[in-house]
């Protein structure tokens, strides 16, 4: 908006893992239900609080052999290929200008790909992302591109169809998937379809939603008639109840997948497609339309990612997954993570994490992010506080979901609305007033950031925000538990510490984030979980040494203090292996 096989629900995945790993006698965890924290606290009420202590009740479950590590999903036609990816959102107009006209373009993006991922896992000079989401690249009369005039071409400001093909090929060579932003709810009022529809010309007369009288808000006068345009008069809604319209936009999507080779779509305004009387959001007809669209797309391109923007509650957003779409963004969690980094209190975030992860499939069901192109940048929300920005990155990149990073977020670029000020050109270096974005005056003035906020300067500083993002991305990529493991909430006696166990078939990790400005020594409890035997504690992020828990018969622990202290606004990841 302007403003295959799939895994089951979280609880079922964890239950299946417990049965496979700890034996049928293990008590299954609540799978993210709100009761887990309460039951864990109750279980720990009589514990001594000593490091690694647990309630007496019998031996830990016996550990079976660890299964072999499954090779990474390299085929983009393999269902679920996105589950262990890290995506990067790019506004092409503001990313890199190859021809010095002040406007970013596809060739400029190609020229910067090596800084996003150079294709060599042994280097550390790239960011390490493995997916690109391009904001709209279609012809459009606006700067933002969400009002499309031609669904099968490239905006001439950005280049040509040949340039798009070259970008996709170059990205794939480096192991980067590419998804396009596809606005299907509405088009531009300058789209030839709408121009013909206004005149009543066949076959476009009923390709949009027309009425002789306004039927509520969102109706725009056009002579003696009215058309529906929920987002403004220049963005008329398509009539997606018309089979010809559905066939046309579906074929357009198939073209980009099968002919150009992109790997999926971010679907703008996904909850608004079809109105049902006065009900304009999340209608049964909208859900049904997406299921039909999805079946047609998958028939043309197996494994294509359909990612919905459902700016709504977690309950409504998750209702599209997995039957209608592969994934949706969870806006509630994004706000909670930024809020916890700002306030220093993780209690609300812990509750939201438990709720959100219980609603979606356990792996790859939702997109996690801090901010996007419709919101004030996270650096502005956190007043560019270095420690708060680092801990926000920790929450995103060690947490559940598929992470999405908004371009410039990794270097601390600022920006507050209006919209054009949160979409300003990227800062690559300090060489000119355009910060390496262009040799020309940029289409929009640069953000008001210190000169040191740029990729070149931060690359040379191991303590910079960019270096922190690079380290976290490599950590996530190296550990299956972080990349796509199930999320199991862990109760902490300190609300400043957000605690969880992340568990994959080959690895289990304890993740702790202290969002406060003071050091923390939490005591943890987990009523039931995936642990077994006598694990060892390997601290892979943070300050050690770590202490392993004494595992309960239910695969959890109580009264567990894993570390002497977690420093202010920092995280620890402890791999717990038999």
């Amino acid at each position: 908006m302007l403003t295959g096989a799939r895994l089951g629900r979280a609880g079922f995945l964890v239950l299946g893992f417990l049965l496979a790993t700890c034996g049928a006698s293990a008590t299954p965890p609540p799978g993210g239900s709100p009761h887990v924290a309460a039951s864990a606290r109750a279980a720990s009420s009589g514990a001594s609080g000593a490091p690694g202590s647990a309630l007496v009740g019998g031996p830990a479950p016996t550990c079976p052999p660890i299964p072999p590590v499954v090779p990474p999903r390299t085929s983009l036609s393999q269902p679920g290929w996105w589950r262990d990816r890290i995506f990067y959102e790019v506004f092409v107009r503001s990313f890199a200008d190859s021809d010095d006209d002040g406007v970013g373009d596809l060739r400029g993006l190609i020229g910067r790909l090596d800084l996003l991922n150079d294709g060599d896992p042994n280097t550390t000079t790239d960011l390490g992302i493995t997916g690109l989401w391009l904001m709209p690249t279609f012809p459009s009369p606006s700067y933002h591109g969400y009002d499309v005039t031609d669904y099968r071409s490239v905006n001439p400001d950005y280049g040509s169809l040949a340039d798009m093909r070259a970008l996709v090929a170059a990205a794939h060579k480096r192991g980067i998937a590419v998804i396009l932003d596809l606005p299907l709810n509405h088009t531009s009022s300058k789209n030839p379809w709408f121009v013909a529809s206004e005149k009543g010309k066949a076959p476009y007369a009923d390709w949009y939603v027309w009425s002789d009288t306004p039927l509520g808000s969102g109706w725009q006068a056009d002579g003696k008639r009215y058309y529906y345009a929920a987002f403004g008069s220049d963005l008329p809604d398509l009539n997606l109840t018309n089979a010809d319209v559905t066939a046309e936009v579906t074929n357009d999507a198939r073209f980009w997948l099968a002919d150009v080779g992109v790997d999926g779509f971010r679907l703008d305004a996904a909850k608004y497609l079809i109105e049902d009387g006065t009900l304009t959001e999340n209608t049964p007809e909208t859900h049904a339309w997406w299921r039909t669209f999805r079946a047609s797309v998958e028939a043309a391109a197996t494994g294509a990612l359909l990612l919905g923007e459902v700016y709504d509650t977690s309950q409504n957003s998750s209702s599209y997954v997995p039957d209608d779409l592969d994934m949706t963004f969870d806006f509630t969690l994004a706000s909670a993570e930024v809020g916890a980094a700002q306030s220093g209190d993780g209690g609300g975030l812990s509750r939201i994490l438990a709720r959100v992860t219980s609603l979606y499939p356990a792996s790859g069901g939702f997109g996690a992010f801090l901010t996007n192109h419709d919101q004030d940048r996270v650096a502005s929300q956190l007043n560019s506080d270095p420690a708060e920005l680092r801990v926000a990155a920790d929450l995103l990149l060690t947490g559940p979901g598929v992470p999405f990073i908004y371009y410039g977020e990794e270097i601390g670029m600022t920006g507050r609305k209006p919209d054009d000020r949160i979409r300003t050109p990227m800062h690559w270096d300090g060489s000119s007033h355009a910060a390496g974005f262009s040799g020309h005056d940029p289409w929009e003035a640069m953000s008001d950031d210190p000169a040191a906020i740029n990729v070149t300067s931060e690359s040379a500083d191991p303590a910079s925000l960019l270096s922190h993002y690079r380290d976290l991305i490599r950590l996530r990529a190296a550990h299956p538990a972080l990349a796509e493991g199930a999320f199991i909430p862990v109760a902490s006696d300190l609300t400043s510490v957000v605690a969880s166990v992340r568990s994959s078939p080959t690895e289990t990790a304890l993740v702790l984030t202290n969002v406060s400005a003071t050091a923390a020594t939490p005591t943890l409890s987990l009523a039931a979980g995936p642990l077994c035997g006598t694990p060892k504690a390997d601290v892979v992020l943070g300050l050690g040494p770590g202490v392993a828990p004494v595992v309960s018969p239910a695969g959890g622990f109580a009264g567990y203090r894993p570390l002497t202290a977690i420093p202010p606004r920092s995280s620890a990841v402890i791999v717990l292996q038999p």
Side-chain angles (χ1 to χ4, degrees):
M1 274 171 60
L2 294 179
T3 49
R6 292 181 174 78
L7 293 175
R9 298 287 175 178
F12 291 105
L13 183 142
V14 175
L15 173 59
F17 178 74
L18 277 171
L19 294 175
T21 306
C22 301
S25 63
T27 303
S33 77
H35 301 294
V36 68
S39 61
R41 282 194 295 270
S44 66
S45 60
S48 68
S53 67
L55 293 178
V56 176
T62 301
C63 297
I66 297 175
V69 175
V70 177
R73 299 181 186 90
T74 56
S75 172
L76 294 172
S77 63
Q78 183 178 353
W81 57 262
W82 57 86
R83 291 177 187 147
D84 59 356
R85 299 265 171 163
I86 298 173
F87 283 83
Y88 190 79
E89 180 189 359
V90 170
F91 184 32
V92 174
R93 184 174 297 274
S94 283
F95 200 65
D97 174 17
S98 70
D99 56 5
D100 288 337
D101 64 355
V103 176
D105 48 56
L106 295 172
R107 286 289 170 183
L109 174 53
I110 293 171
R112 296 293 189 178
L113 280 180
D114 279 348
L115 290 173
L116 298 179
N117 189 328
D118 62 11
D120 184 351
N122 297 313
T123 61
T124 59
T125 55
D126 58 338
L127 185 58
I129 58 92
T130 48
L132 281 177
W133 156 25
L134 305 185
M135 288 171 62
T137 53
F138 309 106
S140 167
S142 71
Y143 85 93
H144 52 72
Y146 283 94
D147 47 346
V148 176
T149 56
D150 182 354
Y151 283 100
R152 295 208 189 189
S153 296
V154 168
N155 190 324
D157 286 350
Y158 298 163
S160 65
L161 190 57
D163 292 333
M164 180 64 80
R165 294 184 195 277
L167 170 64
V168 172
H172 285 175
K173 182 179 179 181
R174 293 164 172 80
I176 304 172
V178 179
I179 64 173
L180 302 184
D181 211 321
L182 183 63
L184 294 180
N185 177 71
H186 47 259
T187 71
S188 168
S189 58
K190 293 179 169 49
N191 189 304
W193 300 347
F194 184 74
V195 173
S197 187
E198 273 188 306
K199 298 175 181 177
K201 290 185 177 180
Y204 303 104
D206 61 350
W207 278 40
Y208 294 81
V209 184
W210 294 95
S211 174
D212 292 332
T213 58
L215 303 176
S217 62
W219 290 87
Q220 312 292 332
D222 189 339
K224 295 182 179 180
R225 295 194 302 164
Y226 297 82
Y227 63 91
Y228 185 67
F231 294 100
S233 60
D234 56 341
L235 298 166
D237 278 39
L238 283 166
N239 178 13
L240 293 170
T241 65
N242 183 324
D244 292 337
V245 177
T246 293
E248 177 61 36
V249 298
T250 301
N251 286 335
D252 291 339
R254 290 161 64 112
F255 165 77
W256 290 101
L257 294 165
D259 191 275
V260 181
V262 304
D263 305 300
F265 302 103
R266 180 264 189 186
L267 301 161
D268 186 63
K271 70 176 183 177
Y272 293 102
L273 298 193
I274 300 174
E275 299 71 42
D276 184 357
T278 59
L279 185 62
T280 60
E281 303 176 9
N282 304 311
T283 63
E285 293 86 349
T286 291
H287 282 276
W289 193 93
W290 282 123
R291 288 193 291 274
T292 300
F293 177 80
R294 178 181 187 166
S296 297
V297 164
E298 289 188 343
T302 302
L305 170 60
L306 297 182
L307 165 62
E309 183 221 18
V310 181
Y311 201 158
D312 210 318
T313 64
S314 299
Q315 185 75 42
N316 285 334
S317 178
S318 64
S319 69
Y320 289 82
V321 183
D323 295 333
D324 309 342
L325 302 171
D326 297 303
M327 189 162 65
T328 56
F329 288 109
D330 196 280
F331 286 82
T332 301
L333 179 58
S335 297
E337 290 188 334
V338 176
Q342 184 177 53
S343 69
D345 187 343
L349 173 58
S350 294
R351 290 188 292 273
I352 288 170
L353 276 164
R355 169 67 171 163
V356 166
T357 54
S358 73
L359 292 172
Y360 294 89
S363 179
F366 68 90
F369 65 104
L370 298 176
T371 59
N372 66 19
H373 63 277
D374 285 328
Q375 301 166 312
D376 289 348
R377 283 186 173 272
V378 65
S380 289
Q381 294 187 48
L382 300 180
N383 296 314
S384 296
D385 184 284
E388 292 180 11
L389 287 171
R390 288 168 67 91
V391 83
D394 289 354
L395 291 169
L396 174 66
L397 292 167
T398 65
V402 177
F404 284 74
I405 300 167
Y406 184 39
Y407 81 95
E409 201 164 76
E410 75 279 16
I411 59 172
M413 279 177 57
T414 59
R416 292 189 183 275
K417 283 180 175 285
D419 285 350
D420 49 1
R421 297 307 299 159
I422 56 179
R423 304 167 184 171
T424 56
M426 182 70 175
H427 292 233
W428 292 105
D429 56 43
S431 63
S432 71
H433 72 288
F437 162 73
S438 176
H440 189 279
D441 289 340
W443 74 274
E444 173 71 16
M446 307 299 289
S447 60
D448 298 323
D449 290 310
I453 301 295
N454 68 70
V455 172
T456 300
S457 296
E458 294 192 35
S459 291
D461 180 4
S464 69
L465 183 62
L466 175 58
S467 294
H468 189 60
Y469 266 85
R470 287 172 172 170
D471 291 344
L472 287 171
I473 288 171
R474 280 168 174 75
L475 179 76
R476 188 178 182 97
H479 291 280
L482 298 179
E484 56 178 326
F487 179 91
I488 306 165
V490 170
S492 168
D493 65 335
L494 301 178
T495 61
S496 59
V497 175
V498 181
S500 67
V501 164
R502 304 292 309 283
S503 184
S504 75
T506 59
E507 185 182 59
T508 297
L510 177 68
V511 180
L512 306 170
T513 298
N514 176 13
V515 298
S516 75
T518 59
T521 304
T523 300
L524 309 175
S525 299
L526 177 63
L531 300 177
C532 58
T534 306
K536 297 177 182 178
D538 180 13
V539 179
V540 297
L541 176 67
L543 301 178
V547 176
V550 175
V551 179
S552 72
F557 45 75
Y560 172 37
R561 289 183 183 170
L563 295 166
T564 301
I566 307 171
R569 294 198 172 100
S570 68
S571 296
V573 175
I574 305 173
V575 174
L576 301 172
Q577 294 289 37

